[in-house]
Amino acid sequence: MKKISLALATIMFTGVSAFAMSDAALIKKAKDAGLKSIPQSQLEILKLVDNPKNPITDAKVELGKKLYFDPRLSKSGIISCNTCHNLAMGGVDGVGAAVGHKWTPNPAHLNSPTVYNSVLNKAQFWDGRDPHLEAQAQGPVQAGPEMAAPKNLVVQRITSMPGYVTEFKKTYGDDVKITFELITDTIAVFERTLITPSRYDAFLDGHLKALNDAEKEGLKVFIDKGCASCHNDIGLGGTMMPFDASKYDLNVGGFTGTKDGMVKTPTLRNIEETAPYFHNGNVWSLNQAVKLMGDIQLGMKISDADANKISTFLKSLTGEKPEIKYPQLPVITEKTPKPDMN
């Protein structure tokens, strides 16, 4: 697994005994509210993100990265996973509704969730229909309004390029059978490494100066208002929660969640980079999103001052991204199926 570093070497660690009482109380308050940090240990991170049925290796990560960036997995040959989950833009596309094949907006006006830290989600997709990244990776490739590529087309494209065939054999053995499922599983391995430790994690682990006073105050307000009741654990979201999507004109596109009215709680990690917000990308202001959640989920009015404090804390969740070097992709051959814009 490639190293996922945390650039906090300049922050001096002080033990629990040296904590300022207010900081010690705040850290305890956060942990009591169910908040957890991304581990500092690379071994612990690997345990957290690895799938025993699809173990992470450097070779899989490198191959998965190429497949993630390769637009030839789409029917048109111009849409890659990175198109909607842009790793240079917080893992999203920055538009309200995802746009796919033939410039078709998502018919339910669904917003592209960030791929960063998606391995920490207990549920994938807005309706939570699958818990696993491997299954999630299969959906957008085949979906008509997204990449619109049938399984057999994806396999034909990949197996027509000697460079890919060689790399699959290097990664999985000479007897490997390149299937659609293996292709998407390999993409998922790469996605499992997209973890972004932040200053917030360092603070929970005892680095007292990792957050400033305003961010600490915002964390306290975040907990006191009840935000952590949905945005908790390591992912600060990623579980299914009741959500009335019909309120405040947030039901653009008609999506109302599961039959029980459940919607996946989005992660708050890197939230300042992932506007617009909510499942339909209908809110662009982070402060407005905070106030709406007070109304819709908590049944309270959050003042402008408190919304600003919470937003100040939320910005401390912007994490350090793994360094991604854009890959050079295998060359097509005469046997490679041509792009299809229809």
Side-chain angles (χ1 to χ4, degrees), residues 12 16 69 114 150 154 174 238 252 289 296 325 341:
M12 183 177 296
V16 175
F69 280 99
T114 179
V154 175
D174 289 339
V252 173
I296 298 171
K325 183 178 180 181
M341 303 295 181

Side-chain angles (χ1 to χ4, degrees), residues 6-33:
L6 177 59
L8 292 168
T10 59
I11 298 175
M12 183 177 296
F13 175 75
T14 56
V16 175
S17 60
F19 281 8
M21 181 61 68
S22 59
D23 287 337
L26 180 57
I27 291 172
K28 182 178 186 302
K29 185 183 186 75
K31 292 182 177 180
D32 287 347

